[in-house]
Amino acid sequence: MTTLTSRAANRAMLDRQLLLRRADLDVLAAVEHLVGLQAQAPFPPYTGLWTRLADFRPQALADLLLDRSVVRIALMRGTVHLVSAADCLMLRPLHQDFLERVVRTGYRKHLDGIEFADIAEYGRTLVEEQPRSTVELGALLLERWPGRDRQALLNVVRSALPLVQLPPRAIWGRSGQATVTTAQVWLDRPLCTNPTLDSLVLRYLAAFGPASGADAQKWSGLTRLGEVFDRLRPDLVTFRAESGTELFDLPDAPRPGPEVDAPVRFLPDFDNILLSHADTTRIMPAEHRAKLFTVNGIIRAALLVDGHTAGKWQIAREGRTAVLTVEPFRRLSTRHKSAVEREGARLLAFTEDRAEAYDVRVLSVVD
């Protein structure tokens, strides 16, 4: 079996993730290729698409949310993702058991004596009668079951029902509280009745491969995917990682080779590329994890240099000036620092187009 070096696996994954070069894809095609973008916060997907697509404009994604071509819904790992309408209807049934199991495990003691099915059915009546904010939905659930844990009641409904978050939340330049209804009502279509884990794994490899069964499980939150990989083995190619792990891939998927240059890229908060492998060292050195992953579940915006995490960044306003502060985790070469400054200026122009001035600050690394 051919050994695939960590750097070669890195370049292959970056290619699938549209991070070796900005892709000339329309926004909907990109969202589907990536199997969605993690969207715990409303606006990181905009930056995630900007860093991956040529000539991306925020209104293009906003229009897709408004015309219901894409939606925001809890899917992989139980986290909110922005996905196409078709993927919403296909992916949600595959994650239903996982989502309900997590809630039953975490909230059973808070809801002793209440049937979860009764909570789910009452929640469905409420949100299909009319879209409800999560604040309103929680209050109505407490009216029905006074004295119970509001968050537990809400999470039962969220896990049992395919709730989509409606605009204007996540519309660029606007704000809105989380307001929900079911995917079936919002999209006027039923959930897929025959989705398969085989198709899920193949989509994952196309977007994140080469990868192991454990990697796919980390990405999805699902278990026993090793059985799926074994079933698909005749139609896949296999490699051996430097660690000895068996990696699977699609035969015709791009694997550009370790010698290919990787440009500087700014990843948003919660970017899936940091969350979708059991072994994250192909893109994130182990010592960087604590710098990017906080104890309260925030995954910070990351800087990629030569295809690997090399720092974190944030944008703030100082009067009429938009300031991008980059905190490298190691010393950058002159060439890489210049590339960070150029790409950072482009990022500021994208995210802060109403600012009167821009300032990119690359902090010094103290040994």
Side-chain angles (χ1 to χ4, degrees):
M1 187 181 297
T2 303
T3 296
L4 194 70
T5 67
S6 179
R7 185 176 174 89
N10 169 273
R11 293 313 194 245
M13 180 178 64
L14 291 175
D15 202 339
R16 318 287 171 88
Q17 283 288 299
L18 314 180
L19 291 168
L20 284 185
R21 68 199 67 81
R22 284 185 164 90
D24 188 18
L25 288 176
D26 68 50
V27 174
L28 183 58
V31 170
E32 290 202 324
H33 168 75
L34 296 166
V35 203
L37 296 95
Q38 181 151 322
Q40 290 292 92
F43 300 114
Y46 288 87
T47 304
L49 289 168
W50 169 84
T51 207
R52 288 171 165 91
L53 298 181
D55 302 318
F56 173 72
R57 297 292 180 268
Q59 193 60 43
L61 179 56
D63 287 344
L64 293 177
L65 281 160
L66 291 167
D67 72 14
R68 310 188 189 193
S69 296
V70 301
V71 296
R72 302 175 73 250
I73 184 171
L75 290 170
M76 285 72 75
R77 305 179 300 279
T79 56
V80 177
H81 276 68
L82 182 144
V83 296
S84 71
D87 277 349
C88 165
L89 299 172
M90 185 273 285
L91 292 169
R92 180 56 194 241
L94 292 174
H95 291 83
Q96 188 66 39
D97 289 346
F98 164 76
L99 293 167
E100 292 192 22
R101 185 170 63 253
V102 169
V103 169
R104 287 182 182 277
T105 300
Y107 291 98
R108 167 52 68 190
K109 65 181 181 180
H110 298 287
L111 299 171
D112 185 49
I114 307 175
E115 292 294 331
F116 279 29
D118 292 341
I119 302 171
E121 193 53 39
Y122 186 63
R124 182 186 297 278
T125 299
L126 292 173
V127 300
E128 290 190 344
E129 179 181 69
Q130 66 181 65
R132 308 277 185 177
S133 72
T134 52
V135 172
E136 180 187 12
L137 178 59
L140 291 170
L141 290 169
L142 275 179
E143 284 184 11
R144 174 66 179 80
W145 289 283
R148 296 293 187 158
D149 187 292
R150 172 184 173 276
Q151 197 61 38
L153 293 166
L154 273 174
N155 278 322
V156 170
V157 176
R158 286 170 174 157
S159 67
L161 305 181
L163 297 182
V164 294
Q165 296 187 10
L166 311 187
R169 188 165 178 81
I171 298 300
W172 189 258
R174 298 172 64 181
S175 61
Q177 60 184 331
T179 300
V180 297
T181 188
T182 60
Q184 298 96 317
V185 166
W186 185 245
L187 300 176
D188 195 26
R189 282 181 279 169
L191 298 178
C192 183
T193 58
N194 60 345
T196 67
L197 290 175
D198 293 30
S199 63
L200 180 74
V201 164
L202 294 174
R203 292 282 302 280
Y204 169 72
L205 289 176
F208 295 94
S212 67
D215 290 331
Q217 290 179 174
K218 179 69 173 180
W219 167 73
S220 64
L222 305 181
T223 58
R224 301 182 66 178
L225 293 186
E227 301 171 4
V228 181
F229 279 89
D230 284 339
R231 185 165 59 245
L232 293 172
R233 183 182 295 273
D235 298 318
L236 301 175
V237 294
T238 57
F239 302 92
R240 187 71 64 191
E242 290 176 318
S243 64
T245 300
E246 185 177 30
L247 302 177
F248 296 83
D249 207 2
L250 306 175
D252 298 326
R255 289 180 290 275
E259 73 283 355
V260 173
D261 286 336
V264 165
R265 289 291 184 258
F266 285 86
L267 301 179
D269 299 340
F270 303 106
D271 197 279
N272 261 339
I273 202 170
L274 302 182
L275 296 162
S276 299
H277 296 83
D279 178 8
T280 58
T281 58
R282 73 168 67 173
I283 190 170
M284 180 174 59
E287 63 270 21
H288 291 179
R289 184 176 182 86
K291 299 176 181 180
L292 292 170
F293 287 57
T294 70
V295 293
N296 59 351
I298 302 299
I299 294 89
R300 294 188 174 101
L303 171 72
L304 294 185
V305 175
D306 192 30
H308 296 81
T309 56
K312 59 186 179 182
W313 60 271
Q314 60 181 354
I315 294 174
R317 283 292 190 101
E318 294 184 2
R320 298 178 179 178
T321 300
V323 179
L324 167 65
T325 302
V326 180
E327 183 181 334
F329 298 152
R330 58 176 173 79
R331 289 186 181 274
L332 301 177
S333 68
T334 300
R335 178 173 69 89
H336 282 146
K337 183 180 178 183
S338 295
V340 169
E341 291 171 341
R342 289 193 301 270
E343 186 73 357
R346 294 184 68 249
L347 175 64
L348 278 177
F350 168 74
T351 60
E352 304 291 328
D353 60 343
R354 296 184 180 181
E356 294 184 8
Y358 303 103
D359 186 8
V360 178
R361 300 172 185 172
V362 181
L363 302 183
S364 298
V365 177
V366 178
D367 294 328

